[in-house]
Amino acid sequence: MDRITTLILDFDGTIADSVKGIVYTATETLSELSLTPVSEQGIISLIGLPLTEMFRRMTHTDDEEFISLCTTTYRRIFKEKALDSIDLFPTVKESLLFLHSEGISLNIASSRSRGSIYHILEKEGLMEIFDIILGVNEVVNPKPHPETVQRILSEKGLSPEEALMVGDTTFDIMMGHAAGCPGCGVTYGNHSKEVLLSVEPEYIVDSFDEIVPLLTKKD
């Protein structure tokens, strides 16, 4: 890990404990639009994908106009009823502040819209410690396509080996690997350890603070 100077972090399920809010909002969206319900586990299995892809899979349709209606409804319900209920996972805030103080560059690559990421980070007093925040709005090709990670590497002038992609889903690790970056899976999010291991992350941690010694240990 000697060359790692940069973290590229997923948001939902990695930094923010948002699963209940996402499941609630998706369920309410399906209900409001009189669509067939999807089980809680079914929704959780899709977290990490862009909303358009989530609803494409949940509704089994490729009708772009209808998918747009689903995502618009979801974002309205989330903003009105779920956004302010989102908190950070244990040890995340103190670990991020410490890594920032150690000179580690912190960046976010998320399937969430950037506005809601800003809202949550501002609430937690963490906006200033991040260098680049890319939401789904900023890219043409979302996860697991490598574009988001490639954009961050390019803007910072980094080689892939200098950045560690951290996420709770296979989509995150696949995105990082496709860009040439090593990956670290976190087991407390939406995909189990067994599922994460199927895409061969270089590291697995059970708590966010376990990332700290990976980047700060000295020989």
Side-chain angles (χ1 to χ4, degrees), residues 11 15-17 86-90 92-93 96 120-121 124 126:
F11 193 74
I15 294 175
D17 187 3
I86 305 302
D87 295 313
L88 304 185
F89 283 106
V92 166
K93 184 171 184 176
L96 289 175
I120 296 165
L121 292 179
E124 297 290 343
L126 293 176

Side-chain angles (χ1 to χ4, degrees), residues 25 51 70-80 113 136:
T25 307
L51 278 180
C70 292
T71 59
T72 300
T73 303
Y74 177 98
R75 290 191 175 101
R76 172 178 54 77
I77 294 173
F78 188 86
K79 183 177 181 180
E80 291 174 352
S113 64
V136 70

Side-chain angles (χ1 to χ4, degrees), residues 1 6-16 18 44 47-49 89 92 96 107-111 143-144 149 163-177 181-208 210-211 214-215:
M1 297 287 284
T6 299
L7 281 183
I8 301 176
L9 299 155
D10 169 57
F11 193 74
D12 292 296
T14 301
I15 294 175
S18 53
I44 290 172
I47 294 176
L49 292 171
F89 283 106
V92 166
L96 289 175
N107 308 270
I108 291 175
S110 177
S111 293
K143 299 178 187 180
V149 171
L164 179 66
M165 179 68 222
V166 181
D168 69 306
T169 72
T170 56
F171 312 122
D172 301 312
I173 306 304
M174 291 165 64
M175 174 176 64
H177 281 174
C181 298
C184 177
V186 302
T187 63
Y188 53 79
N190 296 303
H191 285 184
S192 68
K193 182 176 182 178
E194 291 71 25
V195 172
L196 287 167
L197 287 172
S198 71
V199 293
E200 302 182 342
E202 283 73 11
Y203 304 92
I204 286 277
V205 298
D206 298 318
S207 176
F208 192 86
E210 294 176 24
I211 296 170
L214 296 178
L215 277 75

Side-chain angles (χ1 to χ4, degrees), residues 3-10 15 95-109 126-133 149 151-159 162-166 208 211 215-216:
R3 296 189 62 192
I4 299 291
T5 62
T6 299
L7 281 183
I8 301 176
L9 299 155
D10 169 57
I15 294 175
S95 298
L96 289 175
L97 289 170
F98 177 76
L99 289 168
H100 176 67
S101 74
E102 289 286 298
I104 301 296
S105 172
L106 304 175
N107 308 270
I108 291 175
L126 293 176
M127 268 296 298
E128 299 305 316
I129 69 172
F130 286 94
D131 293 337
I132 299 172
I133 298 173
V149 171
R151 281 268 306 277
I152 293 172
L153 295 176
S154 177
E155 289 186 32
K156 296 192 67 64
L158 298 172
S159 64
E162 294 177 274
L164 179 66
M165 179 68 222
V166 181
F208 192 86
I211 296 170
L215 277 75
T216 58

